Amino acid sequence: MSLPLATAWRIARRDLNARFRGLRLLLVCIFLGTAALAAIGTLTAAIERELASSGQELLGGDLEVEVWQRDLRPEERTALEAYGRVSSGFRMQAMASTPEAAAPIELKAVDAKWPMFGTLTLADGRTAGAPTGTDAWIARTALERLGIGLGDSFKVGRLTLRAAGIIKDEPDRLSEGFQLGPTIIVAADVPGKAGLLEPGALYQSKHRIAFKAGAGSPAAVEEALTQRFPNAGFDIRTRDRASPGAERFVRQMSDFLTLVGLAALVIAGIGIAGGVSSYLDQRRASIATLKVLGATSSDIVRIYAMQIGVAALVGSLAGLAAGVAVTPLLASALQGLLPVESGFIVAPAQLALAASYGLLVAFAFAAAPLLRARTFPAMALMRSGVVPLARDRRALIATGLGLAAICVLALATTAQPMLSGGFLLGAGGALVLLAGLGWAIQAAVRRLPRPANPLLRSALANIYRPGAPTGALVTALGFGLAAFVLLAAVQSAIDGNIASRVPREAPDYFVLDVPQDGEARFASLVRAEFPKATIRSVPTMRGAVLAYGPKGRMIRVADLKELPEGAWALRGERGLTYADNLPQGNRITAGQWWGPFYTGEPLVSVDADFAEAVGLKVGDYLTIGILGVERTARVANLREIDWESMGFNFALVFSRNAISDAPHKIAATIDLPPGADDAAQGRLLRALVREMPSSSVIEVGGILVEARKLLEQVSLATLAAAAVTVLAGLAVLMGAIAAARAARTYDTVMLRVLGASRRQILLLQLAEYGLLAGVLALVALGLGGGLAWVVITRLFEFDWLPDWGEVLAVLGFGIALVLGFALGGSLPLLRAKPARALREL
């Protein structure tokens, strides 16, 4: 007859140590896995909630229409106004200057209706709308670069402006995209008065709509405008995707953090199995006593399942609390990069999901050792120190059900089921690989010739002797060391991208909107200060791809319900150019380049990756729209482009006779000689502003600083997340060592009885763990390196640039840490009293 639940709980509670002695490893593993998932879910939910709830404020309206190099036509503006209030303005790169200084800026011209959503806050605490007349709201960095104060004057183009306030909080900053200079906000008519809207100038006109009642959904309005003006070159965004770059980054980070959470769960599960095995082994005598006194196998399961359940529940709750507590720290690391609430954030659904994962993992991995002890008689339990318990095949069913539930839950709750499913399959494959490797190591060592050295001979024998924990150790060491490799490879690859060849190859300045008849004058201004500077110039304009494909069967972009994957050049307007010679850094992969004096059929050279995405071949045709005029050219060749050079790279390069008659200007890059004088650079910028006021300069150094800052924020978040897997790996190693402690105690006592010294026993342990760690280091390089490659190249879409020296150094540190834990775990064994230990066998 089974014990009542109340009686079983009373026995379990009395036997359970208040400090969870013996179950601390289980508690730590559940804590780590649950905390990681709670922090991941809470942070992601907070960012997504903020993006969804603040879409209007981030975008500045319900819908935005962006057009390059022109304003709206009357019929287009009338169509937009039919849906609600329209606020219009311009965005462009420009130069701000004083007689003593000049600074590249991002000029933002807005009308009196701006901002329709949100509030502009100035540094002095004032809230403001659009500036009027020649007043300007100016970023503090621009103020410092110009060396002026509030109320002082400066010039943009041909117009003199007044610094009327310092920008503190710009409501639609995130939707404006990557910033190429400090912002200056002016009235909508300022760019025209300053001479910055001349034909061919590179600028955007932006038009935001605040919907009136009954206007319809943003998606429906977007579709209606696209169908009505298919060739207008509209780039449309809605409040539901106010900041595509931020949403893409959140998705990538969420995918990566999901992988981290799943990895932490898998590793924690292994630690739980080891910790429960160790705990039940310590309770062997208690279990035997209960059975002698009449307790049934079901009673044993209930009593110890209650203890394990309490520990798992406490670990889960502590993990949830830690996940909520650490979220503000992760949010602060992403401050300015993503919109996220400050302070503590509670997301009940994500916390419940994390707790469910923790409890399921505890059930799945604790079932096998618990059921194994359940089915054996008291005598077998009492003699299990020298006669190990056999495996209970029925326990595999419980473990399998738990793992299946985890997989179903993971696939049902992820936004990327293919990614999560692939990772779960990979984790399962890794477990099978490590289990097979453990068996293979035992088989191989068993066939090795017996060494003459007794310590080495004993170390090898410990690997394959009956009851040896080699399988558990191989799994634990493999995942633990792989976690070190993952952390080092991801971190060093991000660092490699930060310090990659972009800074070495990038020009010092980009110059936009150089007049066609002023190219020689521009070059002379640069040579006057830097005779050895390298100047490269190209004609540039904006246009949209309207149709592509074989002649007579061309596909209209407006008719596509969804753009092909990788067909980014079909989205809105893109930079276009024409050239007589193959651009520097490009390589022809199909077809031939036209000659410098070509006068035949208009031709176009297409990026090979884009051509593959849309199915373009040499001989097909491409139609573009430039300022509302359609032009068609035949695809003459496909090119491979070095996009990392940070020079002028265009997906579409036309022959001169195809588009050179369209209004356009010249863009140029300036490479200064090494050690260029700062004072001379200042004189050059002021000369360019004075002689070519409508031109704008972009300092590449500032762009690289911003890019470095962004990547460093990503690196910090990645480091914090990946560290969880390392901690889980260390917990697993401790669990594997603890699980083998009973058998190690018996071995150690017998060796000491036979005359072995403490030094010899420690060397024996060191040799055994050293041999296993050495073999598994190669496996860890493959597992950790492979996962790091997926994270870097597939999720973050960075280059694979790990520092293998750093990776190997971290792996070496991991091996040293493993050996340190192994020796640390052996010290209590040396303190075991032989007489007492032998009596307890």
Side-chain angles (χ1 to χ4, degrees), residues 138-194:
I138 184 169
R140 188 177 297 277
T141 50
L143 208 68
E144 293 170 351
R145 285 288 304 273
L146 295 173
I148 60 175
L150 285 180
D152 292 341
S153 297
F154 62 96
K155 292 189 71 173
V156 171
R158 304 189 188 100
L159 192 64
T160 299
L161 303 174
R162 185 179 73 92
I166 300 174
I167 301 169
K168 180 183 178 183
D169 186 22
E170 188 181 349
D172 52 358
R173 175 66 262 165
L174 190 63
S175 69
E176 300 286 4
F178 193 77
Q179 203 165 358
L180 299 179
T183 301
I184 294 182
I185 302 176
V186 296
D189 60 351
V190 165
K193 293 178 179 179

Side-chain angles (χ1 to χ4, degrees), residues 437-449 460 463-464:
L437 183 62
W439 176 86
I441 289 174
Q442 288 182 301
V445 171
R446 189 179 289 113
R447 289 172 174 76
L448 289 176
L460 292 176
I463 292 175
Y464 63 83

Side-chain angles (χ1 to χ4, degrees), residues 608-648:
D609 292 336
F610 168 67
E612 183 179 358
V614 299
L616 266 179
K617 298 179 176 59
V618 174
D620 288 345
Y621 284 81
L622 191 78
T623 297
I624 58 169
I626 302 177
L627 298 175
V629 178
E630 292 191 15
R631 298 164 184 264
T632 300
R634 180 170 59 85
V635 178
N637 58 72
L638 306 180
R639 288 170 296 120
E640 183 180 273
I641 303 173
D642 180 11
W643 292 104
E644 296 178 345
S645 65
M646 276 196 77
F648 288 115

Side-chain angles (χ1 to χ4, degrees), residues 42-308:
T42 302
L43 180 65
T44 303
I47 295 173
E48 290 175 344
R49 186 167 62 230
E50 190 73 13
L51 284 172
S53 64
S54 305
Q56 288 177 317
E57 182 175 333
L58 294 174
L59 184 66
D62 293 294
L63 182 140
E64 177 188 82
V65 175
E66 178 186 294
V67 192
W68 278 89
Q69 293 184 287
R70 68 177 180 87
D71 201 350
L72 290 178
R73 300 185 179 95
E75 65 273 18
E76 295 169 342
R77 184 172 295 277
T78 300
L80 266 60
E81 289 174 344
Y83 296 104
R85 287 193 305 138
V86 178
S87 173
S88 297
F90 301 96
R91 308 291 186 274
M92 66 199 69
Q93 297 304 127
M95 291 291 292
S97 65
T98 66
E100 294 78 25
I105 60 158
E106 182 178 278
L107 192 66
K108 179 174 181 174
V110 294
D111 64 12
K113 298 174 187 175
W114 181 90
M116 294 191 293
F117 297 94
T119 304
L120 173 72
T121 306
L122 300 178
D124 58 9
R126 286 183 294 157
T127 59
T132 57
T134 58
D135 283 351
W137 311 136
I138 184 169
R140 188 177 297 277
T141 50
L143 208 68
E144 293 170 351
R145 285 288 304 273
L146 295 173
I148 60 175
L150 285 180
D152 292 341
S153 297
F154 62 96
K155 292 189 71 173
V156 171
R158 304 189 188 100
L159 192 64
T160 299
L161 303 174
R162 185 179 73 92
I166 300 174
I167 301 169
K168 180 183 178 183
D169 186 22
E170 188 181 349
D172 52 358
R173 175 66 262 165
L174 190 63
S175 69
E176 300 286 4
F178 193 77
Q179 203 165 358
L180 299 179
T183 301
I184 294 182
I185 302 176
V186 296
D189 60 351
V190 165
K193 293 178 179 179
L196 303 178
L197 302 182
E198 297 174 350
L202 289 177
Y203 64 89
Q204 301 163 285
S205 67
K206 290 194 175 186
H207 313 273
R208 280 111 179 235
I209 310 173
F211 286 169
K212 64 184 180 183
S217 68
V221 174
E222 178 181 9
E223 184 177 0
L225 290 174
T226 302
Q227 290 179 351
R228 183 171 176 182
F229 304 104
N231 301 330
F234 286 171
D235 189 359
I236 300 176
R237 284 191 291 167
T238 67
R239 66 186 181 217
D240 301 323
R241 46 186 181 87
S243 181
E247 291 169 5
R248 178 170 171 266
F249 178 76
V250 170
R251 186 177 67 250
Q252 289 176 325
M253 282 299 295
S254 176
D255 291 344
F256 168 69
L257 294 174
T258 299
L259 289 181
V260 170
L262 291 174
L265 275 176
V266 171
I267 296 174
I270 300 167
I272 288 167
V276 172
S277 294
S278 175
Y279 177 71
L280 292 176
D281 189 73
Q282 295 171 21
R283 291 291 185 273
R284 186 181 66 227
S286 299
I287 296 173
T289 302
L290 287 171
K291 284 203 167 187
V292 168
L293 294 176
T296 65
S297 296
S298 298
D299 294 333
I300 299 298
V301 169
R302 276 201 297 272
I303 290 169
Y304 286 95
M306 286 177 179
Q307 294 184 0
I308 293 167

Side-chain angles (χ1 to χ4, degrees), residues 530-775:
F530 299 101
K532 295 184 178 180
T534 302
I535 302 171
R536 181 186 170 209
S537 59
V538 295
T540 182
M541 61 198 79
R542 304 286 297 192
V545 177
L546 304 179
Y548 62 91
K551 192 171 187 178
R553 294 183 289 114
M554 296 178 70
I555 300 171
R556 301 292 296 186
V557 175
D559 296 336
L560 293 174
K561 293 184 178 180
E562 187 175 344
L563 297 182
E565 185 176 352
W568 55 269
L570 299 182
R571 190 176 292 110
E573 295 194 342
R574 297 291 160 186
L576 307 174
T577 191
Y578 58 87
D580 293 327
N581 300 305
L582 180 67
Q584 182 180 345
N586 290 203
R587 183 176 67 86
I588 298 292
T589 60
Q592 293 182 336
W593 191 262
W594 52 84
F597 303 105
Y598 178 78
T599 57
E601 181 182 16
L603 301 176
V604 61
S605 174
V606 181
D607 170 38
D609 292 336
F610 168 67
E612 183 179 358
V614 299
L616 266 179
K617 298 179 176 59
V618 174
D620 288 345
Y621 284 81
L622 191 78
T623 297
I624 58 169
I626 302 177
L627 298 175
V629 178
E630 292 191 15
R631 298 164 184 264
T632 300
R634 180 170 59 85
V635 178
N637 58 72
L638 306 180
R639 288 170 296 120
E640 183 180 273
I641 303 173
D642 180 11
W643 292 104
E644 296 178 345
S645 65
M646 276 196 77
F648 288 115
N649 291 308
F650 294 87
L652 304 176
V653 179
F654 291 82
S655 58
R656 180 180 291 271
N657 63 339
I659 61 173
S660 63
D661 58 330
H664 66 277
K665 291 193 175 183
I666 302 297
T669 60
I670 304 173
D671 281 292
L672 301 179
D677 180 56
D678 290 342
Q681 292 185 53
R683 291 194 299 270
L684 172 60
L685 292 180
R686 291 193 295 274
L688 290 174
V689 171
R690 184 177 61 253
E691 298 289 333
M692 299 179 176
S694 62
S695 299
S696 58
V697 179
I698 300 172
E699 290 180 304
V700 177
I703 299 174
L704 296 178
V705 167
E706 290 297 318
R708 184 181 296 274
K709 197 178 297 182
L710 184 148
L711 287 172
E712 284 174 350
Q713 287 177 303
V714 173
S715 177
L716 180 61
T718 302
L719 177 63
V724 175
T725 60
V726 173
L727 292 174
L730 291 177
V732 168
L733 295 178
M734 295 169 64
I737 293 168
R741 183 169 294 171
R744 297 290 183 191
T745 301
Y746 173 74
D747 295 343
T748 302
V749 166
M750 296 305 298
L751 288 171
R752 289 182 63 190
V753 168
L754 294 174
S757 67
R758 295 190 175 196
R759 176 178 173 276
Q760 288 174 320
I761 292 173
L762 287 176
L763 288 175
L764 177 64
Q765 299 287 325
L766 185 64
E768 179 184 350
Y769 282 96
L771 287 170
L772 288 176
V775 172

Side-chain angles (χ1 to χ4, degrees), residues 804-823:
W804 289 109
E806 182 178 332
V807 172
L808 292 174
V810 171
L811 179 59
F813 172 76
I815 293 174
L817 206 58
V818 167
L819 298 180
F821 276 121
L823 293 179

